[in-house]
């Protein structure tokens, strides 16, 4: 993996993108889920149940089906986004390396924000109201209460789930394979590895793909490498989250 130039350079690029994909996806899903949870948790809002059902619908549909639907919508020639929303534009959403990565992040956010919405809604409803009232008495505004009171208490219960979500996105085979198949392909290698491939899809292509990449032994070695990376990230993250327990 580290001595063969046909594998080493794509592996480094794929590893970096895997960390970016997992980290940014986790952040976007959490940010959007938390925002919607705060908005739909407002005490004076009417029709909360209807809005909440609509919000979690993307999470309820199978990820494989959603990936195929988005792949059709993002098609450069006849996709709904180019033809209808952008008035017949010809934007290569899945053919350009940078746009393909952005598209993958958006689709994965669409699939994952519903889960974070459910988690954040439950966490917000479990926060003690007297703490927020005390902050208001001390003169804290809405943003100050959220940043200094709600968010730290929220992280106590949500941080382990964020770590689990990062680990899941690190090996999120479905959304990558069904949306882009890992394309667009790298030009400097004979292996079928592309700009949107993450490590798990690279392992799949090395094990079962064409283009000289059918190597079960190398795929097994790469799988062990993925396990080591995820384990190290999880251990470090869980040690860091112990500091949050002091907030209780």
């Amino acid at each position: 993996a580290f001595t063969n130039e046909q594998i080493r350079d794509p592996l480094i690029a794929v590893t970096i993108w895997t960390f970016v994909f997992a980290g940014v996806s986790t952040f976007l899903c959490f940010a959007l889920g938390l925002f919607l949870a705060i908005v739909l948790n407002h005490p004076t809002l009417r029709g909360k149940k209807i809005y909440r059902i609509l919000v979690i619908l993307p999470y309820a549909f199978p990820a494989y089906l959603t990936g195929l639907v988005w792949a059709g919508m993002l098609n450069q020639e006849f996709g709904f986004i180019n033809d209808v929303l952008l008035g017949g534009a010809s934007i290569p959403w899945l053919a350009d390396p940078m746009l393909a990565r952005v598209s993958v992040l958006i689709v994965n956010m669409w699939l994952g924000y519903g889960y974070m919405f459910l988690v954040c809604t439950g966490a917000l409803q479990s926060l003690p109201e007297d703490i927020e009232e005390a902050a208001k008495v001390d003169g804290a505004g809405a943003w100050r209460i959220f940043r200094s009171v709600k968010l730290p208490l929220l992280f106590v219960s949500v941080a382990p789930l964020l770590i689990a979500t990062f680990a899941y996105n690190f090996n999120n085979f479905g959304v990558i394979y069904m949306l882009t198949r890992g394309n667009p392909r790298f030009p400097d290698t004979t292996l079928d590895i592309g700009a949107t491939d993450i490590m798990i899809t690279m392992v799949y292509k090395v094990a079962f793909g064409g283009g000289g990449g059918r190597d079960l032994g190398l795929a097994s070695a790469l799988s062990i490498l993925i396990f080591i990376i995820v384990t190290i990230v999880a251990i470090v993250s869980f040690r860091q989250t112990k500091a949050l327990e002091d907030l209780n």
Side-chain angles (χ1 to χ4, degrees):
F2 297 103
T3 57
N4 188 339
E5 293 183 357
Q6 291 292 320
I7 301 173
R8 182 186 61 210
D9 294 341
L11 176 60
I12 294 174
V14 167
T15 302
I16 295 173
W17 163 240
T18 303
F19 275 97
V20 173
F21 170 75
V24 174
S25 293
T26 302
F27 171 77
L28 291 177
C29 291
F30 174 70
L32 181 57
L34 178 59
F35 172 76
L36 292 174
I38 294 173
V39 171
L40 299 181
N41 198 44
H42 197 277
T44 61
L45 181 66
R46 296 182 178 180
K48 290 182 182 179
K49 293 182 180 180
I50 298 176
Y51 292 134
R52 288 172 178 172
I53 291 174
L54 293 176
V55 165
I56 65 173
L57 278 181
Y59 179 64
F61 285 105
Y64 292 96
L65 177 61
T66 304
L68 291 175
V69 171
W70 272 98
M73 292 174 61
L74 292 168
N75 187 278
Q76 182 176 352
E77 298 179 1
F78 54 82
F80 177 83
I81 293 178
N82 279 346
D83 274 0
V84 179
L85 297 183
L86 299 179
S90 182
I91 300 176
W93 294 106
L94 303 179
D96 179 79
M98 185 58 65
L99 288 177
R101 288 173 174 174
V102 172
S103 300
V104 167
L105 290 173
I106 293 174
V107 173
N108 200 40
M109 180 183 66
W110 171 263
L111 288 168
Y113 82 90
Y115 170 74
M116 286 298 176
F117 166 76
L118 293 174
V119 171
C120 292
T121 298
L124 287 172
Q125 292 178 349
S126 65
L127 296 180
E129 296 182 359
D130 55 346
I131 297 180
E132 182 177 353
E133 293 175 358
K136 290 180 179 179
V137 172
D138 289 340
W143 170 246
R144 182 68 175 178
I145 292 174
F146 170 76
R147 182 171 60 89
S148 301
V149 178
K150 289 186 176 181
L151 194 60
L153 292 175
L154 196 66
F155 272 127
V156 175
S157 56
V158 173
L161 296 176
L162 291 176
I163 298 171
T165 302
F166 177 88
Y168 172 79
N169 285 321
F170 201 89
N171 292 304
N172 196 343
F173 177 88
V175 66
I176 299 294
Y177 195 77
M178 301 309 291
L179 186 64
T180 65
R181 298 291 196 276
N183 295 320
R185 185 170 172 175
F186 287 135
D188 55 349
T189 179
T190 58
L191 298 175
D192 183 20
I193 303 172
T196 58
D197 269 316
I198 58 176
M199 294 185 72
I200 191 65
T201 58
M202 179 180 178
V203 168
Y204 175 82
K205 289 181 177 180
V206 169
F208 307 109
R214 199 174 181 84
D215 190 337
L216 294 176
L218 178 60
S220 301
L222 294 175
S223 299
I224 295 174
L225 182 62
I226 294 175
F227 169 76
I228 294 173
I229 293 174
V230 174
T231 301
I232 293 174
V233 171
I235 291 174
V236 172
S237 300
F238 276 119
R239 286 183 176 177
Q240 293 296 324
T241 56
K242 285 184 178 180
L244 296 173
E245 297 177 0
D246 296 336
L247 293 172
N248 283 334

